[in-house]
Amino acid sequence: MGKLFLSPIENEVLSVVLLILTTVISILSVLVMPKRISWIEMYTTSLFVMFLGSVADIYLDVKYDLYGFFTKGVDFEYLLIFIFVYPATNSVFLNFYPQSKSLAKKALYITVWVILTTLFEYISAQTEVFYYNEWKTLYSFFCYPFLYIAMVLNLKMIRRLEIIDNQK
């Protein structure tokens, strides 16, 4: 039985529905949100997030088998998450990041995203979109702040590089 006490078929259907909903909502959210970051910033930060995600997944999933998506190895479902959900989440997070606000507001914003992301990961684990071997949701909770801060720092670097480029 699945973790939500569903039959294997019901759990598989729920997993696919969650994946499709997440993918569609991710794409739509990027398309309809009022843009505060440019398309090039979304593109380059998304590449950065995909790079970080692939490095983490290579080590933590493939090498150490701590967690994974759906089944061991790369499959179509994982590619949907990797190509659509990671970049969209990154773009929405950075688009609404309170760049010019106080450190407290920035910390609160990141904390809310960490909680939401951890909750989403927990739901994904319950529906077996995501599975744990030696990994725990708590580990993700403590990793996410560093990932979100890395995304903000990456965006700042991109903006500095754009300024340098425009001065030439």
Side-chain angles (χ1 to χ4, degrees):
M1 278 218 213
K3 293 185 179 193
L4 292 176
F5 305 107
L6 301 172
S7 72
I9 291 173
E10 290 171 326
N11 201 53
E12 188 172 328
V13 169
L14 185 58
S15 297
V16 171
V17 168
L18 181 63
L19 174 65
I20 291 169
L21 277 174
T22 302
T23 304
V24 170
I25 290 169
S26 296
I27 293 168
L28 288 176
S29 64
V30 169
L31 293 176
V32 301
M33 72 182 177
K35 306 298 185 284
R36 295 179 183 162
I37 61 175
S38 69
W39 284 102
I40 192 71
E41 289 170 338
M42 282 190 267
Y43 178 74
T44 53
T45 58
S46 293
L47 289 175
F48 175 74
V49 166
M50 292 168 70
F51 170 75
L52 278 181
S54 63
V55 169
D57 292 342
I58 286 168
Y59 280 94
L60 301 177
D61 178 9
V62 178
K63 185 171 183 175
Y64 296 111
D65 197 27
L66 298 177
Y67 66 78
F69 295 91
F70 296 97
T71 57
K72 185 140 180 73
V74 176
D75 48 25
F76 176 73
E77 295 89 352
Y78 173 77
L79 290 176
L80 281 178
I81 292 168
F82 192 74
I83 293 171
F84 294 108
V85 177
Y86 281 8
T89 303
N90 157 73
S91 296
V92 172
F93 169 79
L94 289 173
N95 190 68
F96 295 105
Y97 180 76
Q99 203 75 3
S100 59
K101 302 292 183 190
S102 68
L103 184 58
K105 288 193 180 194
K106 291 175 183 178
L108 177 62
Y109 183 79
I110 290 172
T111 301
V112 168
W113 271 85
V114 167
I115 291 167
L116 290 173
T117 309
T118 305
L119 180 62
F120 185 77
E121 181 179 310
Y122 175 78
I123 293 167
S124 297
Q126 295 304 306
T127 58
E128 296 180 357
V129 168
F130 194 77
Y131 65 86
Y132 299 132
N133 287 329
E134 300 295 321
W135 194 258
K136 308 278 185 237
T137 307
L138 189 61
Y139 302 163
S140 296
F141 179 79
F142 288 111
C143 289
Y144 285 134
F146 296 103
L147 296 174
Y148 285 119
I149 291 167
M151 288 191 310
V152 170
L153 293 175
N154 183 63
L155 178 60
K156 286 183 179 189
M157 176 60 76
I158 290 165
R159 288 180 171 167
R160 283 189 185 123
L161 292 173
E162 285 178 321
I163 290 169
I164 292 168
D165 240 10
N166 290 332
Q167 290 174 347
K168 290 182 181 180

